[in-house]
Amino acid sequence: MAIKLDAKKDVEGHGEWRVLPSPSKFDAKTKTVYIEGHAAKIGGPKPELREGEHLLAYTASLCPQCYRLLPAVVFEREGRVWIRKVCPEHGEMEELYFGDIRMYKRFIRYEDEGRGVRLPYVQLSSPCPFNCGLCPMHRNHSALINLVVTNRCNLKCWYCFFYAEKFGYVYEPSLEQIRYMIRRAKAQGVTLAVQITGGEPTLREDLVEIIKLLKEEGVRHIQLNTNGIRFAELYVEDPVKAVEYARALREAGLNTVYLSFDGVTPKTNWKNHWEVPFIFEVFRKAGVTSTVLVPTVIKGVNTHELGAIIKFAGKHIDVVRGVNFQPVSLTGMMPREERMKYRVTIPDAIHLIEEQTDGQIHSDAWYPVPVAAKFAEFVEAMTGEPQFLMANHPMCGAATYVFVERGEHGVPKKFIPITDFFDVEGFVEYLEEKTVELSQVRDSRIRKYVTLAKIAVDLRKFVDTEKIPKDLNITKMLLKVFVKRNYEALGELHYKMLFLGMMHFMDLYNYDVARVTRCNIHYVVPDGRLIPFCTYNVLSDIYRDAIQKKYGVPLDEWHGPLGLYKRPLLRLMRDPIYYEAYRGIVPDDVLKGKKPG
């Protein structure tokens, strides 16, 4: 199947866009989808509500055992939100969906249906999520492209999605394959942001070349998803070599390091607790000033340190731009009691942060991701040009910004959320009103200049001048965002405040197909498809594992190293860099490090 394009060309140079065959086949008579050795039935009984339960939404979900696509209900009970489905073969299943009904109702007000895909990547033959992708049913363009460059890793984390030794093959796409995948993603015609991920990407010897390739292809923002071990490992061997490596990545075009960081103590973050101080040391000397800490949040494991993680980020705000918390996705067959032992949802984490920051970062400071769509729709109405639209499902993620006041040793003494001095809700309502008004003005030049002039005046109405930090001119920064509408204008906001995000990826128990259709984090794969995060990793045997095995090399044929890390623990702990990094955040008796002097 081919679609005629205007200015675009297919990645192979042809004047037609190549739509790939569907990865599945649907038998309408038996209501069965056939995909990668699975025969998934479609349909089941509609779940019933019980006394004391209140319907919020109808959706579709999956049976965790047989992948049957089922009707599901999202409902409220005793102040929390649940999802229920009934498999004819495996019975009724119920799972916590969202931990606070008040927050659910506040977030759902910002729901945005999205605009659909600008180009379909595969033919449509089966229902979601068995037709990825992107298929014509998908409602969102890509916001972030995940590019897996290896499944090798130097660690073995018990909650991780995958690594090479577990599956018996090594997956490492060539530079030619990477270029092909990125060109397929580019065809959407939106500003491209790419996260290089794995496995552990720094195990690729040609990582610098990969980043250069992405810049050559016009990628605007490049992230590196890493545990950072390689930087610390190089530092121990030779500090100069470590700095040169980090600088080479930055000069090649790396914008942001997405650094795994599960807690401030060795117990919560055995992964890289000892290495992070040296990683930061390398980044400072190499001019890498945009790091986002990424904690996987697991109830009872590190939920008591969420506030401390934010304080640690604030202490190192010269190189840390934000924290993006990710409540754990529960994989494998787990009894309900065990799932509830580890399950944490976005509201649960937000309330814990409020408690652990003494109420400073309160729950009302957070907004769902599709709030950003309101800004984009306004700019569209003002300029008449299509914009980058973040129309995610409201329950997928949340975010806020906080201003950090620091004290002795750089330790934060106060956090001031943006909502304390800027009326976010009122401003969003203002933008929605202006969007409607602008749609009625035909002349685009009049639209643009009159509107900008009015915004320059009206912005001040939403600022509390008595509460705004002295060093922050939020009116000027926001006006720059609207006027310039570029990466640099938004970047100024990121460097003045600390970004806090929350992204809850699904699992088979809380799976909601309505969320999948709005997903804008997409994996590129060597066959040219783009696959949403929560199908790629949740239906892993259908998507991720099948694809990587097809394009991978069996371990017994792999001639390179797997790269497992051996920690020089005493060397790290005895260095003053280690102690200073956690000073004021972690008690001395926990650090057991070397005090200066």
Side-chain angles (χ1 to χ4, degrees), residues 460-484:
R460 297 181 179 89
K461 299 175 183 177
F462 301 98
V463 180
D464 188 330
T465 55
E466 292 184 3
K467 293 182 179 179
I468 191 169
K470 293 179 182 179
D471 300 330
L472 195 65
N473 189 335
I474 190 72
T475 306
K476 184 179 179 181
M477 280 191 289
L478 284 176
L479 194 58
K480 276 186 180 179
V481 171
F482 285 118
V483 172
K484 295 184 177 181

Side-chain angles (χ1 to χ4, degrees), residues 439-457:
S439 64
Q440 299 168 0
V441 180
R442 292 184 179 180
D443 192 312
S444 61
R445 290 172 298 178
I446 293 175
R447 256 199 323 249
K448 180 177 179 179
Y449 294 114
V450 171
T451 303
L452 286 175
K454 186 162 179 55
I455 283 182
V457 175

Side-chain angles (χ1 to χ4, degrees), residues 22 27 31 49 155 197 256 304 315 321 371 374 383 402 411 424 426 452 532 572:
S22 170
D27 186 332
K31 295 183 179 179
L49 291 177
L155 297 176
T197 187
T256 298
H304 59 292
K315 177 179 169 74
R321 303 274 67 78
V371 162
K374 306 303 179 186
T383 63
V402 295
V411 177
V424 174
L452 286 175
L572 298 173

Side-chain angles (χ1 to χ4, degrees), residues 57-78:
Y58 288 110
T59 187
S61 187
L62 297 171
C63 173
Q65 296 187 53
C66 67
Y67 287 178
R68 189 179 188 119
L69 184 62
L70 300 165
V73 289
V74 178
F75 62 95
E76 181 265 335
R77 184 179 66 226
E78 297 178 350

